[in-house]
Amino acid sequence: MAALLVTNIGQLVTWDDEQPIRETAALVVDGGRITWVGSSSVTPLADERLDVGGATVVPGFVDSHTHLVFGGDRSEEFEARLAGKPYAAGGIRNTVAATRALPTPQLRLRATRLAAEALRSGTTTLEIKSGYGLTVEDELRSLEVAATLTPHRTFLGAHVVPEGTDASSYVDLVRGPMLDAVAGVATAIDAFCEDGAFDEDQCRAVLTAGAGRGLAMHLHANQLRPGPGVQLAASLGALSADHCTHVTDEDVTALRDAAVVAVLVPAAEFSTRSAYAPARRLLDAGVTVALATDCNPGTSFTTSMSFVIALACRELGMAPLDALRAATVGGAAALAQRDVGHLRVGARADFVVLDAPSYVHLAYRPGVDLVRHVVRAGEVVR
Ligand code: NIG
Ligand code: FE
């Protein structure tokens, strides 16, 4: 692969310790990696040159929490919510039925379209969960679809108890035969710790079984009300506790002390018309925060990290710089992938060229497609 010089960058966000943001900058990409970062007045040797005319360059977004393998949609449920009906975990079963009914080629096509939509909007690293199959075959099928799209594949067999079974036999299935079937395809395990889904002991049993098979742990925690999820994630040493909408001061301290990433998903709160997560309390306490879309048909049908950033600034009280950090290097921490989410020398060359004079415009111009180019592993994909 020939070396590419990207020059005339008006503002470059690298997250370098000394100089996280540079003005009038340039960078060189070689072999899919960043090999040089400096001033655009210097001209290092390169085979090709891309002049971005003063545009802003930020690291590609890292969306560390999505559920984008599913059939059907739940627009009627959304519409009912707008008329005042509250969200409940049980709606997941409608998507389970629609997902099981969909032949694999269609399931793959739909997920592929959503992943392409995410990439076009600047998401260069994507996590995908299963959780709408809930049988051995259907969970495996979902994870095999995810495997065609991303290296970050999370087994969420413990999403809800499917119809026709009881919680305790279903948990035995999830941590037994289902885990056996998916352990070679999944890279992580997750569970939905919530009234109406799984309790603390059930989630612990599922996550420890997954960890025993070498899977990283995530947990849907404290989404709909306060509960034991965050503390459980911390005690198990999970990579992340996701949602964290209803957290006590003890929960916040536990996240910080156990270095568990709080993955916040404000688009879910937007769509379910719920209170937003206390991002400021988490940040002020020193917790690592990530922002993700939670893309799924029930609570958050969006792939747009720009939208999530705008919400985080307006509704979670995050400064634009904090929000961009959470949407890039924060997401990378939630996935334990250290070579993405930043643009220091050695990073994977994943970045977004924005038609804007500064990264602030991501929140300042909500709903506007500012993405001019997306580069993934050194390849211009948009
Ligand atoms: O992250 N909370 C659990 N899972 C999804 C919602 C799933 C659904 O309603 O289909 C979430 O919000
Ligand atoms: Fe989720």
Side-chain angles (χ1 to χ4, degrees):
M1 207 189 279
L4 168 71
L5 169 69
V6 182
T7 191
N8 204 4
I9 301 170
Q11 187 181 67
L12 171 65
V13 178
T14 63
W15 303 132
D16 179 74
D17 288 338
E18 313 250 290
Q19 205 179 351
I21 302 177
R22 288 173 168 265
E23 311 289 325
T24 55
L27 57 80
V28 174
V29 175
D30 200 354
R33 302 257 153 200
I34 305 291
T35 56
W36 180 86
V37 176
S39 160
S40 60
S41 61
V42 181
T43 312
L45 277 179
D47 307 291
E48 288 171 53
R49 187 171 186 277
L50 176 66
D51 184 327
V52 297
T56 295
V57 172
V58 300
F61 303 127
V62 179
D63 190 350
S64 60
H65 181 145
T66 82
H67 308 245
L68 50 75
V69 184
F70 60 86
D73 80 32
R74 310 230 298 274
S75 49
E76 285 169 18
E77 180 185 312
F78 176 71
E79 201 173 25
R81 221 155 40 231
L82 296 180
K85 193 166 185 268
Y87 173 77
I92 294 171
R93 293 193 189 95
N94 296 333
T95 301
V96 170
T99 303
R100 289 178 182 168
L102 206 61
T104 303
Q106 276 99 303
L107 191 65
R108 187 181 307 119
L109 183 64
R110 287 174 49 121
T112 303
R113 284 196 178 135
L114 287 172
E117 182 182 287
L119 181 62
R120 273 200 306 279
S121 72
T123 297
T124 48
T125 301
L126 183 68
E127 182 265 11
I128 301 179
K129 299 175 198 299
S130 65
Y132 292 118
L134 311 188
T135 63
V136 174
E137 304 78 63
D138 288 299
E139 283 297 296
L140 179 59
R141 191 166 80 110
S142 297
L143 287 162
E144 284 172 344
V145 167
T148 64
L149 301 170
T150 178
H152 298 287
R153 311 179 284 263
T154 304
F155 169 44
L156 180 58
H159 200 183
V160 76
V161 180
E163 267 159 59
T165 180
D166 63 278
S168 111
S169 16
Y170 184 65
V171 167
D172 288 343
L173 176 71
V174 169
R175 64 195 183 110
M178 212 182 260
L179 178 60
D180 286 342
V182 305
V185 188
T187 55
I189 191 159
D190 191 350
F192 185 14
C193 191
E194 195 75 52
D195 288 355
F198 297 91
D199 69 19
E200 182 181 1
D201 289 342
Q202 292 163 342
C203 291
R204 182 185 298 105
V206 168
L207 262 56
T208 52
R213 304 296 289 266
L215 303 183
M217 292 177 278
H218 304 284
L219 189 65
H220 278 73
N222 303 47
Q223 174 183 2
L224 304 178
R225 55 192 71 77
V230 164
Q231 299 276 349
L232 177 63
S235 73
L236 293 174
L239 279 179
S240 68
D242 299 51
H243 287 269
C244 296
T245 312
H246 301 275
V247 290
T248 63
D249 288 345
E250 291 70 37
D251 292 336
V252 173
T253 308
L255 288 171
R256 185 201 49 211
D257 292 350
V260 175
V261 178
V263 176
L264 307 185
V265 292
E269 286 134 17
F270 175 83
S271 173
T272 56
R273 310 179 80 194
S274 317
Y276 288 95
R280 283 264 42 107
R281 267 168 67 213
L282 291 159
L283 286 167
D284 293 346
V287 175
T288 301
V289 169
L291 286 169
T293 62
D294 193 18
C295 180
N296 78 79
T299 63
S300 180
F301 199 2
T302 181
T303 54
S304 171
M305 288 293 281
S306 303
F307 173 62
V308 170
I309 288 171
L311 277 180
C313 293
R314 175 64 182 84
E315 303 290 350
L316 275 65
M318 288 175 80
L321 199 65
D322 290 335
L324 181 60
R325 197 184 287 276
T328 54
V329 78
L335 298 176
Q337 187 178 345
R338 302 293 160 180
D339 65 341
V340 299
H342 63 89
L343 294 173
R344 300 188 290 268
V345 169
R348 202 168 73 178
D350 287 359
F351 55 86
V352 184
V353 180
L354 298 173
D355 255 323
S358 108
Y359 68 87
V360 179
H361 282 231
L362 285 167
Y364 177 47
R365 307 204 62 216
V368 178
D369 179 15
L370 297 175
V371 175
R372 192 195 298 168
H373 297 297
V374 180
V375 178
R376 187 173 58 181
E379 205 190 318
V380 181
V381 291
R382 171 172 171 183

